[in-house]
Amino acid sequence: MPTRVVEEDGAEVIVGRGTVDMKAGVAVQLKLAAELAEPVADVTWIWYDHEEVGEHLNGLNRLAREHPEQLVGDFAILGEPTAAGIEGGCNGNLRAEIRAFGTRAHSARGWVGVNAIHLAAPILDRLAAYEARTVVVDGLAYREGLNAVGISGGVAGNVIPDECMVHVNHRFAPSRTPEEAVAHVREVFEGFEVTIVDLAAGARPGLDRPAARAFVDAVGVEPRAKYGWTDVARFSGLGVPAVNYGPGDPLLAHADHERVPVQQILDVEAGLRSWLTGA
Amino acid sequence: MPTRVVEEDGAEVIVGRGTVDMKAGVAVQLKLAAELAEPVADVTWIWYDHEEVGEHLNGLNRLAREHPEQLVGDFAILGEPTAAGIEGGCNGNLRAEIRAFGTRAHSARGWVGVNAIHLAAPILDRLAAYEARTVVVDGLAYREGLNAVGISGGVAGNVIPDECMVHVNHRFAPSRTPEEAVAHVREVFEGFEVTIVDLAAGARPGLDRPAARAFVDAVGVEPRAKYGWTDVARFSGLGVPAVNYGPGDPLLAHADHERVPVQQILDVEAGLRSWLTGA
């Protein structure tokens, strides 16, 4: 993808698809890997493919399967965009299909049937009224969420529908287990059929570990919670605490107007260099 | 389609696709057309194709276009299934798309967006709470209806959706004009975008006309309102009052278990014969 450098408000910005997620982070890593012959930490640099395509293709999964010794460590840093901040852990992720059932009928005699879309009204009411928690885990605040991401129902323009499905996505703090998240969603939608279609544990930030603490101190920025599910959760699953630390606004990832300030690239380079050189 | 005669509860029943809608009605008409050389009324027998396929194919529309003189008359009878009752007029029919709009966002940071599916909750609430009227027109009671017949929304499992559409179907009494029905639907869904996608006027039963009255008296059954939209509305549009009168339960039309009691076929034959012979 063609990338270009522009000046915005007196600052250099690199514009183009992939600059944020995550060419800029990779560029910093490649530079440090080439320049730092003897880092003070025992570093394994890993670059992998298919991060977001699917479980079975994910390069980190493949590496964990085929070369697990490469992933042994006290602490991992992912170059995911964080606008040069340190973002620890991540929320868990659950998707479920919530269904209401009625009885089909011709809409000219609607009273003969039971309209499943009308019966689904409380599902949307509960979503609209839902107050998401903010949960502090290992010192970082995680904001949860419960959202409809899809809705479908209907047979034809003259038929009272017998089924309505609301596809919901629940993001839950890493202090909540996947099983607790499932129980919570079933409780919210009591009275309706709930089918879990996707479930991934969150990751605690793990900033109480000495190796993580040393990194945070060297970089000198205050860690905050990560909201998006990233591969830190895979490291967490392997018993390795992990944080995200990279240039670029994560909200711009995958966007047409993806762009990263050069200063953030330099900041991340300086932060990692400070830690890896003990300076 | 193969059709067979079975005995149910001691009565003969003809079973098979199309028996109700409307082979049985056509059979009665063909028999009377063949047997009654000199009916007391000036009868035009019309059998046409593509009744339900689409406006442009409908045989009655084609006849009205190409041979309008064939459709001149004081009164029309359609052989649509009415379980041998007389059903007059029909409700009007409106379909509309009701839309709520929000702002897209990644569902990991749902609070950045505005969830259009959550915003659609009042649409379903209003539908669920809607109390349909029953309206008496020319002595017949028409039951109205307002139903969701479809709902859709959603972009992907990790995206806060920016649009939700509820497809609604309104059946309105023939005393209400199509314009009044549109105004009513816009009022019910005030605050949401309303797009009318289909609109057909109802038909008053027209039983105050002398020719219709004579038919009803000859058959000797009490007329009732027709709920489904049928081609009586096309006759009504041409200025000819029309009723439905035919064997078979209309709720079985198009159903796998379509079946018609032989007695209803005989009743309708007797009713029409009584009227056409003045007996």
PDB file of all heavy atoms in Angstrom, chain B residues 149-181:
ATOM      1  N   VAL B 149     -42.927  -7.346  10.215  1.00  0.00           N
ATOM      2  CA  VAL B 149     -42.786  -8.558   9.396  1.00  0.00           C
ATOM      3  C   VAL B 149     -41.319  -8.826   9.088  1.00  0.00           C
ATOM      4  O   VAL B 149     -40.983  -9.825   8.457  1.00  0.00           O
ATOM      5  CB  VAL B 149     -43.611  -8.465   8.091  1.00  0.00           C
ATOM      6  CG1 VAL B 149     -45.098  -8.560   8.401  1.00  0.00           C
ATOM      7  CG2 VAL B 149     -43.292  -7.185   7.318  1.00  0.00           C
ATOM      8  N   GLY B 150     -40.447  -7.933   9.547  1.00  0.00           N
ATOM      9  CA  GLY B 150     -39.022  -8.151   9.349  1.00  0.00           C
ATOM     10  C   GLY B 150     -38.224  -7.153  10.163  1.00  0.00           C
ATOM     11  O   GLY B 150     -38.726  -6.084  10.535  1.00  0.00           O
ATOM     12  N   ILE B 151     -36.997  -7.545  10.491  1.00  0.00           N
ATOM     13  CA  ILE B 151     -36.103  -6.611  11.177  1.00  0.00           C
ATOM     14  C   ILE B 151     -34.682  -6.950  10.761  1.00  0.00           C
ATOM     15  O   ILE B 151     -34.341  -8.122  10.572  1.00  0.00           O
ATOM     16  CB  ILE B 151     -36.283  -6.675  12.713  1.00  0.00           C
ATOM     17  CG1 ILE B 151     -35.523  -5.539  13.422  1.00  0.00           C
ATOM     18  CG2 ILE B 151     -35.854  -8.036  13.272  1.00  0.00           C
ATOM     19  CD1 ILE B 151     -35.924  -5.341  14.875  1.00  0.00           C
ATOM     20  N   SER B 152     -33.866  -5.931  10.578  1.00  0.00           N
ATOM     21  CA  SER B 152     -32.476  -6.196  10.206  1.00  0.00           C
ATOM     22  C   SER B 152     -31.591  -5.067  10.696  1.00  0.00           C
ATOM     23  O   SER B 152     -32.023  -3.927  10.862  1.00  0.00           O
ATOM     24  CB  SER B 152     -32.339  -6.358   8.690  1.00  0.00           C
ATOM     25  OG  SER B 152     -32.721  -5.172   8.030  1.00  0.00           O
ATOM     26  N   GLY B 153     -30.348  -5.412  10.966  1.00  0.00           N
ATOM     27  CA  GLY B 153     -29.372  -4.434  11.409  1.00  0.00           C
ATOM     28  C   GLY B 153     -28.098  -5.169  11.745  1.00  0.00           C
ATOM     29  O   GLY B 153     -28.126  -6.372  12.045  1.00  0.00           O
ATOM     30  N   GLY B 154     -26.978  -4.448  11.696  1.00  0.00           N
ATOM     31  CA  GLY B 154     -25.717  -5.074  12.061  1.00  0.00           C
ATOM     32  C   GLY B 154     -24.741  -5.069  10.917  1.00  0.00           C
ATOM     33  O   GLY B 154     -25.103  -5.234   9.757  1.00  0.00           O
ATOM     34  N   VAL B 155     -23.474  -4.871  11.273  1.00  0.00           N
ATOM     35  CA  VAL B 155     -22.398  -4.763  10.291  1.00  0.00           C
ATOM     36  C   VAL B 155     -21.469  -5.966  10.421  1.00  0.00           C
ATOM     37  O   VAL B 155     -21.174  -6.660   9.456  1.00  0.00           O
ATOM     38  CB  VAL B 155     -21.610  -3.459  10.515  1.00  0.00           C
ATOM     39  CG1 VAL B 155     -20.467  -3.336   9.522  1.00  0.00           C
ATOM     40  CG2 VAL B 155     -22.554  -2.259  10.429  1.00  0.00           C
ATOM     41  N   ALA B 156     -21.030  -6.231  11.645  1.00  0.00           N
ATOM     42  CA  ALA B 156     -20.136  -7.347  11.932  1.00  0.00           C
ATOM     43  C   ALA B 156     -20.203  -7.595  13.432  1.00  0.00           C
ATOM     44  O   ALA B 156     -20.718  -6.770  14.191  1.00  0.00           O
ATOM     45  CB  ALA B 156     -18.712  -7.020  11.497  1.00  0.00           C
ATOM     46  N   GLY B 157     -19.650  -8.731  13.855  1.00  0.00           N
ATOM     47  CA  GLY B 157     -19.737  -9.125  15.256  1.00  0.00           C
ATOM     48  C   GLY B 157     -18.984  -8.221  16.202  1.00  0.00           C
ATOM     49  O   GLY B 157     -19.134  -8.331  17.416  1.00  0.00           O
ATOM     50  N   ASN B 158     -18.170  -7.303  15.679  1.00  0.00           N
ATOM     51  CA  ASN B 158     -17.392  -6.412  16.537  1.00  0.00           C
ATOM     52  C   ASN B 158     -17.619  -4.939  16.201  1.00  0.00           C
ATOM     53  O   ASN B 158     -16.755  -4.099  16.438  1.00  0.00           O
ATOM     54  CB  ASN B 158     -15.887  -6.742  16.433  1.00  0.00           C
ATOM     55  CG  ASN B 158     -15.369  -6.546  15.020  1.00  0.00           C
ATOM     56  OD1 ASN B 158     -16.160  -6.353  14.099  1.00  0.00           O
ATOM     57  ND2 ASN B 158     -14.060  -6.588  14.853  1.00  0.00           N
ATOM     58  N   VAL B 159     -18.800  -4.657  15.637  1.00  0.00           N
ATOM     59  CA  VAL B 159     -19.083  -3.277  15.230  1.00  0.00           C
ATOM     60  C   VAL B 159     -20.421  -2.831  15.811  1.00  0.00           C
ATOM     61  O   VAL B 159     -21.423  -3.541  15.709  1.00  0.00           O
ATOM     62  CB  VAL B 159     -19.120  -3.154  13.685  1.00  0.00           C
ATOM     63  CG1 VAL B 159     -19.522  -1.744  13.263  1.00  0.00           C
ATOM     64  CG2 VAL B 159     -17.773  -3.524  13.081  1.00  0.00           C
ATOM     65  N   ILE B 160     -20.417  -1.647  16.454  1.00  0.00           N
ATOM     66  CA  ILE B 160     -21.664  -1.023  16.893  1.00  0.00           C
ATOM     67  C   ILE B 160     -22.396  -0.569  15.633  1.00  0.00           C
ATOM     68  O   ILE B 160     -21.850   0.231  14.865  1.00  0.00           O
ATOM     69  CB  ILE B 160     -21.376   0.199  17.798  1.00  0.00           C
ATOM     70  CG1 ILE B 160     -20.505  -0.201  18.994  1.00  0.00           C
ATOM     71  CG2 ILE B 160     -22.670   0.856  18.253  1.00  0.00           C
ATOM     72  CD1 ILE B 160     -21.126  -1.205  19.913  1.00  0.00           C
ATOM     73  N   PRO B 161     -23.610  -1.076  15.394  1.00  0.00           N
ATOM     74  CA  PRO B 161     -24.285  -0.798  14.126  1.00  0.00           C
ATOM     75  C   PRO B 161     -24.858   0.619  14.060  1.00  0.00           C
ATOM     76  O   PRO B 161     -25.320   1.151  15.065  1.00  0.00           O
ATOM     77  CB  PRO B 161     -25.390  -1.843  14.071  1.00  0.00           C
ATOM     78  CG  PRO B 161     -25.662  -2.191  15.487  1.00  0.00           C
ATOM     79  CD  PRO B 161     -24.375  -2.011  16.243  1.00  0.00           C
ATOM     80  N   ASP B 162     -24.825   1.184  12.857  1.00  0.00           N
ATOM     81  CA  ASP B 162     -25.296   2.559  12.681  1.00  0.00           C
ATOM     82  C   ASP B 162     -26.692   2.622  12.075  1.00  0.00           C
ATOM     83  O   ASP B 162     -27.200   3.711  11.825  1.00  0.00           O
ATOM     84  CB  ASP B 162     -24.308   3.368  11.828  1.00  0.00           C
ATOM     85  CG  ASP B 162     -24.038   2.712  10.491  1.00  0.00           C
ATOM     86  OD1 ASP B 162     -24.491   1.565  10.287  1.00  0.00           O
ATOM     87  OD2 ASP B 162     -23.363   3.330   9.647  1.00  0.00           O
ATOM     88  N   GLU B 163     -27.298   1.454  11.823  1.00  0.00           N
ATOM     89  CA  GLU B 163     -28.640   1.478  11.247  1.00  0.00           C
ATOM     90  C   GLU B 163     -29.398   0.227  11.645  1.00  0.00           C
ATOM     91  O   GLU B 163     -28.836  -0.870  11.698  1.00  0.00           O
ATOM     92  CB  GLU B 163     -28.551   1.566   9.711  1.00  0.00           C
ATOM     93  CG  GLU B 163     -29.908   1.700   9.053  1.00  0.00           C
ATOM     94  CD  GLU B 163     -29.827   1.908   7.540  1.00  0.00           C
ATOM     95  OE1 GLU B 163     -28.811   2.440   7.055  1.00  0.00           O
ATOM     96  OE2 GLU B 163     -30.788   1.522   6.852  1.00  0.00           O
ATOM     97  N   CYS B 164     -30.681   0.414  11.948  1.00  0.00           N
ATOM     98  CA  CYS B 164     -31.563  -0.725  12.215  1.00  0.00           C
ATOM     99  C   CYS B 164     -32.882  -0.447  11.503  1.00  0.00           C
ATOM    100  O   CYS B 164     -33.417   0.656  11.572  1.00  0.00           O
ATOM    101  CB  CYS B 164     -31.794  -0.902  13.718  1.00  0.00           C
ATOM    102  SG  CYS B 164     -32.862  -2.309  14.130  1.00  0.00           S
ATOM    103  N   MET B 165     -33.381  -1.454  10.789  1.00  0.00           N
ATOM    104  CA  MET B 165     -34.605  -1.271  10.012  1.00  0.00           C
ATOM    105  C   MET B 165     -35.671  -2.278  10.449  1.00  0.00           C
ATOM    106  O   MET B 165     -35.399  -3.469  10.539  1.00  0.00           O
ATOM    107  CB  MET B 165     -34.307  -1.442   8.521  1.00  0.00           C
ATOM    108  CG  MET B 165     -35.467  -1.077   7.604  1.00  0.00           C
ATOM    109  SD  MET B 165     -36.648  -2.425   7.308  1.00  0.00           S
ATOM    110  CE  MET B 165     -35.738  -3.389   6.100  1.00  0.00           C
ATOM    111  N   VAL B 166     -36.841  -1.772  10.743  1.00  0.00           N
ATOM    112  CA  VAL B 166     -37.978  -2.637  11.062  1.00  0.00           C
ATOM    113  C   VAL B 166     -38.991  -2.495   9.927  1.00  0.00           C
ATOM    114  O   VAL B 166     -39.413  -1.391   9.586  1.00  0.00           O
ATOM    115  CB  VAL B 166     -38.643  -2.255  12.402  1.00  0.00           C
ATOM    116  CG1 VAL B 166     -39.724  -3.270  12.752  1.00  0.00           C
ATOM    117  CG2 VAL B 166     -37.614  -2.164  13.523  1.00  0.00           C
ATOM    118  N   HIS B 167     -39.313  -3.641   9.332  1.00  0.00           N
ATOM    119  CA  HIS B 167     -40.262  -3.678   8.220  1.00  0.00           C
ATOM    120  C   HIS B 167     -41.638  -3.950   8.820  1.00  0.00           C
ATOM    121  O   HIS B 167     -41.834  -4.970   9.462  1.00  0.00           O
ATOM    122  CB  HIS B 167     -39.812  -4.811   7.283  1.00  0.00           C
ATOM    123  CG  HIS B 167     -40.615  -4.918   6.015  1.00  0.00           C
ATOM    124  ND1 HIS B 167     -40.408  -5.918   5.099  1.00  0.00           N
ATOM    125  CD2 HIS B 167     -41.609  -4.157   5.519  1.00  0.00           C
ATOM    126  CE1 HIS B 167     -41.253  -5.766   4.100  1.00  0.00           C
ATOM    127  NE2 HIS B 167     -41.987  -4.711   4.319  1.00  0.00           N
ATOM    128  N   VAL B 168     -42.561  -3.009   8.661  1.00  0.00           N
ATOM    129  CA  VAL B 168     -43.882  -3.191   9.279  1.00  0.00           C
ATOM    130  C   VAL B 168     -44.970  -3.305   8.225  1.00  0.00           C
ATOM    131  O   VAL B 168     -44.844  -2.788   7.116  1.00  0.00           O
ATOM    132  CB  VAL B 168     -44.237  -2.049  10.276  1.00  0.00           C
ATOM    133  CG1 VAL B 168     -43.184  -1.932  11.366  1.00  0.00           C
ATOM    134  CG2 VAL B 168     -44.436  -0.729   9.560  1.00  0.00           C
ATOM    135  N   ASN B 169     -46.030  -4.005   8.594  1.00  0.00           N
ATOM    136  CA  ASN B 169     -47.179  -4.202   7.721  1.00  0.00           C
ATOM    137  C   ASN B 169     -48.418  -3.709   8.454  1.00  0.00           C
ATOM    138  O   ASN B 169     -48.712  -4.176   9.548  1.00  0.00           O
ATOM    139  CB  ASN B 169     -47.299  -5.695   7.373  1.00  0.00           C
ATOM    140  CG  ASN B 169     -48.436  -5.982   6.381  1.00  0.00           C
ATOM    141  OD1 ASN B 169     -48.988  -7.070   6.387  1.00  0.00           O
ATOM    142  ND2 ASN B 169     -48.784  -5.024   5.555  1.00  0.00           N
ATOM    143  N   HIS B 170     -49.114  -2.761   7.864  1.00  0.00           N
ATOM    144  CA  HIS B 170     -50.334  -2.230   8.464  1.00  0.00           C
ATOM    145  C   HIS B 170     -51.522  -2.623   7.585  1.00  0.00           C
ATOM    146  O   HIS B 170     -51.522  -2.368   6.379  1.00  0.00           O
ATOM    147  CB  HIS B 170     -50.232  -0.706   8.561  1.00  0.00           C
ATOM    148  CG  HIS B 170     -51.436  -0.041   9.157  1.00  0.00           C
ATOM    149  ND1 HIS B 170     -52.120  -0.564  10.229  1.00  0.00           N
ATOM    150  CD2 HIS B 170     -52.086   1.120   8.826  1.00  0.00           C
ATOM    151  CE1 HIS B 170     -53.141   0.234  10.533  1.00  0.00           C
ATOM    152  NE2 HIS B 170     -53.137   1.250   9.699  1.00  0.00           N
ATOM    153  N   ARG B 171     -52.498  -3.274   8.199  1.00  0.00           N
ATOM    154  CA  ARG B 171     -53.757  -3.587   7.519  1.00  0.00           C
ATOM    155  C   ARG B 171     -54.789  -2.626   8.062  1.00  0.00           C
ATOM    156  O   ARG B 171     -54.984  -2.574   9.287  1.00  0.00           O
ATOM    157  CB  ARG B 171     -54.162  -5.031   7.806  1.00  0.00           C
ATOM    158  CG  ARG B 171     -53.087  -6.050   7.456  1.00  0.00           C
ATOM    159  CD  ARG B 171     -53.025  -6.294   5.972  1.00  0.00           C
ATOM    160  NE  ARG B 171     -51.958  -7.222   5.630  1.00  0.00           N
ATOM    161  CZ  ARG B 171     -52.023  -8.072   4.610  1.00  0.00           C
ATOM    162  NH1 ARG B 171     -53.068  -8.085   3.813  1.00  0.00           N
ATOM    163  NH2 ARG B 171     -51.008  -8.859   4.349  1.00  0.00           N
ATOM    164  N   PHE B 172     -55.414  -1.860   7.189  1.00  0.00           N
ATOM    165  CA  PHE B 172     -56.332  -0.816   7.669  1.00  0.00           C
ATOM    166  C   PHE B 172     -57.718  -0.976   7.046  1.00  0.00           C
ATOM    167  O   PHE B 172     -57.866  -1.393   5.897  1.00  0.00           O
ATOM    168  CB  PHE B 172     -55.758   0.582   7.402  1.00  0.00           C
ATOM    169  CG  PHE B 172     -55.354   0.834   5.973  1.00  0.00           C
ATOM    170  CD1 PHE B 172     -56.221   1.475   5.098  1.00  0.00           C
ATOM    171  CD2 PHE B 172     -54.103   0.451   5.514  1.00  0.00           C
ATOM    172  CE1 PHE B 172     -55.843   1.720   3.782  1.00  0.00           C
ATOM    173  CE2 PHE B 172     -53.725   0.685   4.198  1.00  0.00           C
ATOM    174  CZ  PHE B 172     -54.591   1.319   3.328  1.00  0.00           C
ATOM    175  N   ALA B 173     -58.722  -0.614   7.846  1.00  0.00           N
ATOM    176  CA  ALA B 173     -60.113  -0.774   7.430  1.00  0.00           C
ATOM    177  C   ALA B 173     -60.387   0.030   6.157  1.00  0.00           C
ATOM    178  O   ALA B 173     -59.773   1.069   5.925  1.00  0.00           O
ATOM    179  CB  ALA B 173     -61.053  -0.320   8.548  1.00  0.00           C
ATOM    180  N   PRO B 174     -61.331  -0.438   5.324  1.00  0.00           N
ATOM    181  CA  PRO B 174     -61.585   0.236   4.037  1.00  0.00           C
ATOM    182  C   PRO B 174     -62.209   1.618   4.185  1.00  0.00           C
ATOM    183  O   PRO B 174     -62.314   2.335   3.195  1.00  0.00           O
ATOM    184  CB  PRO B 174     -62.522  -0.735   3.305  1.00  0.00           C
ATOM    185  CG  PRO B 174     -63.104  -1.612   4.357  1.00  0.00           C
ATOM    186  CD  PRO B 174     -62.088  -1.685   5.450  1.00  0.00           C
ATOM    187  N   SER B 175     -62.587   2.006   5.398  1.00  0.00           N
ATOM    188  CA  SER B 175     -63.088   3.372   5.598  1.00  0.00           C
ATOM    189  C   SER B 175     -61.933   4.363   5.711  1.00  0.00           C
ATOM    190  O   SER B 175     -62.135   5.571   5.677  1.00  0.00           O
ATOM    191  CB  SER B 175     -63.933   3.423   6.881  1.00  0.00           C
ATOM    192  OG  SER B 175     -63.190   2.901   7.967  1.00  0.00           O
ATOM    193  N   ARG B 176     -60.727   3.851   5.857  1.00  0.00           N
ATOM    194  CA  ARG B 176     -59.547   4.716   5.955  1.00  0.00           C
ATOM    195  C   ARG B 176     -58.898   4.786   4.576  1.00  0.00           C
ATOM    196  O   ARG B 176     -58.700   3.761   3.930  1.00  0.00           O
ATOM    197  CB  ARG B 176     -58.585   4.118   6.984  1.00  0.00           C
ATOM    198  CG  ARG B 176     -57.390   4.962   7.297  1.00  0.00           C
ATOM    199  CD  ARG B 176     -56.632   4.421   8.513  1.00  0.00           C
ATOM    200  NE  ARG B 176     -56.907   5.194   9.703  1.00  0.00           N
ATOM    201  CZ  ARG B 176     -56.360   4.966  10.894  1.00  0.00           C
ATOM    202  NH1 ARG B 176     -55.528   3.966  11.059  1.00  0.00           N
ATOM    203  NH2 ARG B 176     -56.644   5.741  11.928  1.00  0.00           N
ATOM    204  N   THR B 177     -58.579   5.996   4.129  1.00  0.00           N
ATOM    205  CA  THR B 177     -57.913   6.118   2.828  1.00  0.00           C
ATOM    206  C   THR B 177     -56.440   5.730   2.986  1.00  0.00           C
ATOM    207  O   THR B 177     -55.881   5.769   4.093  1.00  0.00           O
ATOM    208  CB  THR B 177     -57.969   7.561   2.294  1.00  0.00           C
ATOM    209  OG1 THR B 177     -57.165   8.384   3.170  1.00  0.00           O
ATOM    210  CG2 THR B 177     -59.391   8.091   2.256  1.00  0.00           C
ATOM    211  N   PRO B 178     -55.807   5.372   1.881  1.00  0.00           N
ATOM    212  CA  PRO B 178     -54.364   5.078   1.940  1.00  0.00           C
ATOM    213  C   PRO B 178     -53.580   6.246   2.539  1.00  0.00           C
ATOM    214  O   PRO B 178     -52.659   6.034   3.338  1.00  0.00           O
ATOM    215  CB  PRO B 178     -53.994   4.850   0.468  1.00  0.00           C
ATOM    216  CG  PRO B 178     -55.257   4.328  -0.151  1.00  0.00           C
ATOM    217  CD  PRO B 178     -56.367   5.069   0.544  1.00  0.00           C
ATOM    218  N   GLU B 179     -53.960   7.473   2.221  1.00  0.00           N
ATOM    219  CA  GLU B 179     -53.255   8.637   2.744  1.00  0.00           C
ATOM    220  C   GLU B 179     -53.403   8.733   4.260  1.00  0.00           C
ATOM    221  O   GLU B 179     -52.456   9.065   4.976  1.00  0.00           O
ATOM    222  CB  GLU B 179     -53.771   9.927   2.084  1.00  0.00           C
ATOM    223  CG  GLU B 179     -53.494  10.030   0.580  1.00  0.00           C
ATOM    224  CD  GLU B 179     -54.266   9.015  -0.257  1.00  0.00           C
ATOM    225  OE1 GLU B 179     -55.411   8.655   0.132  1.00  0.00           O
ATOM    226  OE2 GLU B 179     -53.719   8.540  -1.276  1.00  0.00           O
ATOM    227  N   GLU B 180     -54.607   8.438   4.750  1.00  0.00           N
ATOM    228  CA  GLU B 180     -54.826   8.444   6.203  1.00  0.00           C
ATOM    229  C   GLU B 180     -54.010   7.339   6.886  1.00  0.00           C
ATOM    230  O   GLU B 180     -53.492   7.526   7.981  1.00  0.00           O
ATOM    231  CB  GLU B 180     -56.318   8.265   6.518  1.00  0.00           C
ATOM    232  CG  GLU B 180     -57.149   9.505   6.199  1.00  0.00           C
ATOM    233  CD  GLU B 180     -58.657   9.231   6.203  1.00  0.00           C
ATOM    234  OE1 GLU B 180     -59.059   8.042   6.180  1.00  0.00           O
ATOM    235  OE2 GLU B 180     -59.432  10.199   6.205  1.00  0.00           O
ATOM    236  N   ALA B 181     -53.900   6.203   6.217  1.00  0.00           N
ATOM    237  CA  ALA B 181     -53.122   5.095   6.787  1.00  0.00           C
ATOM    238  C   ALA B 181     -51.639   5.486   6.883  1.00  0.00           C
ATOM    239  O   ALA B 181     -50.967   5.194   7.882  1.00  0.00           O
ATOM    240  CB  ALA B 181     -53.288   3.842   5.930  1.00  0.00           C
TER     241      ALA B 181
END
